[in-house]
Amino acid sequence: MEILHHPQHHTNRNAVGRPVGIMGHGAYIPRYRLPAREIARVWSDPDTVPVGQEKSVPGQDEDTATMCMEASANALSRAGVPPSAIEAVWIGSESHPYAVKPTGTIVAEAIGATPLTLAADLEFACKAGTEALQAGMGFVGSGRGTYALVAGMDTAQSRPGDALEYTAAAGGAVLILGPAAEAPVTINHALSWVTDTPDFWRRPNQPYPMHAGRFTGEPGYFQHVLAAGRKLMEDVGSRPSDYRHVVVHQPNLKFATRVLTDMGFRPDQWRRGLLVGKIGNTYAGSTLLGLSAILDHAHAGDRILAVSYGSGGGSDAIDMTVTRDPAPWRRRAPETADYLARRVVIDYAMYARMRDKIQT
């Protein structure tokens, strides 16, 4: 079979009928925290782990659906949009509670958006949340619907003793999308950059993902995030100095800070959205959760760049502008920082029990 390549078709454009904006946002992070030193105590040398690093762990009664419900309630409160007006509910995650049964219908029913709504689950490893965002932009921008709820949320899986166990965490965020004319935040431009790069995968019936070690860095994460971010800035004619805030997918602190530096951003631009050292990598929720922390304190005129990454592999880059003062948001729902501060430290045994590492 011959595969024909058409370079003129490789530029992503916002081919939508009307501008799209973010009406409201909401975060959720479980209260339980497992320190990295506690993991190292069980599996390796505690002196090799950075002091202060920890990850969020969902309780036994928490999953992607329940966490989306609270984040959705926060986002709806900020947006001022009644649940019955939501015409699409799209949940991006790599830890949906059912293999066959959508998380989207559970969340739509719980918030009161059923029955006249679309509902679906999206998967693309850690960029499933921004994939849902891109789909929502097309839905609202085309005029197919007025309001859409999109989420990136995960209860990340990790094999006991694997390197992923230090950072694989839980949490995420929800955005309510609507016409830009009604929204405090306008989405200016978005694009995707994808290739077949098998750096991370999980086969059917396997409880834990596999990864290609350092291979996931250079040909995976760094290639896609840098390419997507730079291409977007080229398309819109912007420079790093034009942005007040930037957030990227955060598999770990080293990767995130390196890629931001390589793109030309200063630490003061990424400080608010860089959460991985406090709660770990929330996978599909990572980029949207960092964006939520930024929007909690954004001001009119702020320009924001977000670049996700999903193994497999691909990145979404989104350029946004805060068009009017979003101060009322802060009085309507808990901020991301409130969930960060609400922490209960647990040991490895409690973590193993909560995450079903011990089969009984």
Side-chain angles (χ1 to χ4, degrees):
M1 180 181 69
E2 181 182 6
I3 299 176
L4 300 178
H5 294 280
H6 302 283
Q8 67 271 27
H9 293 162
H10 284 187
T11 299
N12 292 274
R13 296 188 178 94
N14 289 337
V16 295
R18 62 179 171 186
V20 179
I22 299 173
M23 303 288 298
H25 69 283
Y28 182 77
I29 303 167
R31 70 176 65 238
Y32 299 108
R33 303 287 194 276
L34 178 65
R37 282 193 177 276
E38 176 65 7
I39 302 171
R41 181 184 68 82
V42 175
W43 293 109
S44 64
D45 182 2
D47 294 333
T48 65
V49 180
V51 175
Q53 184 174 314
E54 62 183 19
K55 71 172 188 175
S56 55
V57 178
Q60 290 180 287
D61 60 347
E62 293 183 311
D63 61 17
T64 295
T66 64
M67 294 192 296
C68 277
M69 290 172 197
E70 180 156 346
S72 296
N74 292 338
L76 288 165
S77 294
R78 289 195 172 98
V81 174
S84 59
I86 300 297
E87 296 166 272
V89 176
W90 289 325
I91 311 299
S93 178
E94 58 180 278
S95 55
H96 293 286
Y98 293 93
V100 180
K101 174 175 168 51
T103 309
T105 56
I106 302 173
V107 176
E109 185 79 42
I111 66 173
T114 53
L116 297 176
T117 188
L118 293 170
D121 295 353
L122 293 144
E123 294 185 9
F124 195 136
C126 296
K127 91 170 186 76
T130 55
E131 183 182 30
L133 171 58
Q134 293 255 45
M137 288 174 57
F139 179 77
V140 175
S142 68
R144 172 65 177 79
T146 304
Y147 303 109
L149 183 153
V150 300
M153 192 72 66
D154 254 309
T155 60
Q157 314 298 310
S158 57
R159 184 185 304 278
D162 187 83
L164 292 176
E165 192 168 42
Y166 286 95
T167 58
V174 167
L175 302 177
I176 306 298
L177 303 184
E182 301 177 25
V185 179
T186 295
I187 300 174
N188 305 315
H189 188 68
L191 62 78
S192 296
W193 184 288
V194 302
T195 68
D196 182 18
T197 303
D199 60 310
F200 183 94
W201 64 93
R202 180 164 64 86
R203 289 284 192 178
N205 303 317
Q206 296 300 309
Y208 303 117
M210 303 294 292
H211 57 92
R214 293 190 178 187
F215 183 82
T216 195
E218 295 299 339
Y221 179 82
F222 293 108
Q223 175 192 183
H224 293 81
V225 174
L226 287 170
R230 287 169 175 167
K231 177 58 177 170
L232 182 139
M233 287 189 280
E234 176 188 325
D235 283 357
V236 301
S238 65
R239 298 173 297 178
S241 58
D242 294 328
Y243 297 94
R244 178 68 182 87
H245 303 284
V246 60
V247 60
V248 296
H249 175 57
Q250 303 163 40
N252 55 61
L253 195 59
K254 181 179 179 180
F255 276 25
T257 54
R258 174 183 155 183
V259 80
L260 287 164
T261 301
D262 289 350
M263 290 173 69
F265 290 98
R266 305 181 309 272
D268 64 289
Q269 292 173 285
W270 75 65
R271 187 170 293 118
R272 186 169 296 281
L274 195 62
L275 306 177
V276 64
K278 300 175 182 177
I279 57 168
N281 173 18
T282 54
Y283 283 50
S286 174
T287 307
L288 294 189
L289 189 58
L291 177 60
S292 173
I294 289 169
L295 293 177
D296 284 336
H297 297 274
H299 299 282
D302 286 358
R303 193 170 179 181
I304 304 166
L305 175 65
V307 187
S308 64
Y309 174 69
S311 293
S315 286
D316 296 322
I318 305 103
D319 180 301
M320 297 157 276
T321 301
V322 181
T323 51
R324 61 175 181 267
D325 184 13
W329 278 355
R330 298 170 192 137
R331 297 190 295 270
R332 293 180 183 173
E335 295 183 354
T336 311
D338 295 327
Y339 288 106
L340 289 172
R342 189 197 64 158
R343 56 189 290 274
V344 175
V345 177
I346 59 174
D347 61 17
Y348 195 89
M350 184 59 72
Y351 159 74
R353 176 186 176 191
M354 288 178 170
R355 301 306 301 144
D356 293 326
K357 306 291 184 182
I358 303 171
Q359 298 298 316
T360 60

